Amino acid sequence: MTESLSDKTIVIVGAGPGFGRTLALQAAAKGAMVVVAARTESRVVEIADEVRAAGGSAIAAAVDATDPESVRALRETVEGHTDAVHGLVYSAFAVPSMKPLAQTDHEQISRGIDLSVLGALRTTQEFTALLEAAAAPATGTAAASASVVMMASAVIHHSRERYAGYKIAKTALVALGHSLATELGPRGIRVNTVAPGYIYGETLKAYFEHLATKYGGTVDDVYAHTAEKMDLRRLPSEREIVDPVLFLLSDAASAVTGQTLTVDCGEFHT
């Protein structure tokens, strides 16, 4: 099997300017019709326009994953274009509190869980029938699957100070993925999570510039110091996070479900 996504519909919830944009462009390049959805409508319109300019097919839609009515409206928008969804990627993200638990307001943790975990559940529930419709023609065969991919984080593998609230939410997301894989598997729907470490894109580069200015040295110095922790002595690019997601969305991963794939150039061994 190849990783072609020809004639498949892929919905990306939480499509940001880095990972989400790259995923949309690459999925469309592999033949998918992509639905790019996020809170900021102007952002997803820009991504969809870029996909179409590159020769792909795309729909832009605003969505607030913490609002059930907004998620329902997204599903209705998608239904206006197709009667089956072959892949759903949930990558909605908000900057976490980054405070020790002793100083973290409970409401901040609740908001993180609502977006990361309950948002993923709301979205999967809303799209289950469309996902099942995509899997139905092949149910019981080697290719029997639609695919849900939830974006977790390598934070699930450590307990470094100030990451606790974020770890709580992302660890719960992994547990949700396990349970959904068990419940939805008989309906031909696979559910997996991807846990990226550092993603060396524009956002991280800007942060490294901030650290270099604050502590002295250069961005290359900050990069080298950070990469020392990785077996490969480098940080993964956005494309290197996207490619495993594309694999999990494709028929090449038709027997893979209930798994968590860490993509971090070897910072953690799981």
Side-chain angles (χ1 to χ4, degrees):
M1 288 186 181
T2 68
E3 294 180 29
S4 170
L5 298 177
S6 180
D7 299 322
K8 295 182 183 291
T9 298
I10 305 297
V11 178
I12 306 167
V13 176
F19 165 81
R21 170 188 170 274
T22 302
L23 176 60
L25 286 166
Q26 294 302 317
K30 288 182 176 291
M33 190 274 280
V34 295
V35 180
V36 286
R39 284 187 179 183
T40 306
E41 186 172 13
S42 60
R43 176 184 298 162
V44 294
V45 167
E46 182 177 340
I47 294 171
D49 285 345
E50 189 173 357
V51 169
R52 288 189 287 265
S57 177
I59 299 167
V63 66
D64 178 356
T66 66
D67 179 359
E69 292 300 322
S70 181
V71 177
R72 184 169 298 114
L74 172 62
R75 187 259 301 159
E76 290 171 349
T77 296
V78 174
E79 279 184 323
H81 295 268
T82 182
D83 57 4
V85 168
H86 303 82
L88 171 65
V89 179
Y90 189 84
S91 61
F93 170 82
V95 178
S97 147
M98 300 301 290
K99 292 180 181 179
L101 283 177
Q103 300 171 23
T104 301
D105 186 280
H106 290 186
E107 181 60 30
Q108 290 178 306
I109 296 176
S110 294
R111 286 196 297 269
I113 292 172
D114 191 18
L115 179 63
S116 291
V117 186
L118 297 182
L121 178 57
R122 288 184 195 100
T123 305
T124 305
Q125 287 173 324
E126 198 65 51
F127 279 90
T128 292
L130 288 172
L131 290 161
E132 188 174 16
T139 297
T141 74
S145 63
S147 176
V148 177
V149 181
M150 299 177 176
M151 300 305 296
S153 165
V155 71
I156 64 176
H157 301 306
H158 69 75
S159 297
R160 294 170 187 161
E161 188 177 3
R162 299 184 295 115
Y163 284 88
Y166 192 47
K167 178 177 180 176
I168 289 168
K170 290 301 186 181
T171 302
L173 179 64
V174 170
L176 172 66
H178 291 167
S179 294
L180 285 174
T182 298
E183 292 189 16
L184 298 180
R187 301 169 74 170
I189 301 169
R190 298 181 291 108
V191 184
N192 295 285
T193 57
V194 172
Y198 292 93
I199 305 176
Y200 200 57
E202 294 305 316
T203 299
L204 188 59
K205 289 176 185 177
Y207 179 61
F208 281 7
E209 289 172 1
H210 164 74
L211 292 179
T213 300
K214 183 176 181 179
Y215 297 109
T218 67
V219 171
D220 287 343
D221 292 332
V222 176
Y223 182 101
H225 175 73
T226 306
E228 284 177 358
K229 306 179 184 70
M230 293 29 167
D231 292 342
L232 298 180
R233 300 298 190 269
R234 64 180 182 83
L235 309 183
S237 66
E238 288 173 355
R239 178 65 184 268
E240 289 176 309
I241 306 299
V242 163
D243 283 347
V245 175
L246 293 172
F247 163 71
L248 290 171
L249 290 171
S250 75
D251 291 340
S254 59
V256 181
T257 194
Q259 305 304 308
T260 301
L261 178 59
T262 300
V263 186
D264 63 358
C265 284
E267 182 176 10
F268 300 102
H269 294 179
T270 60

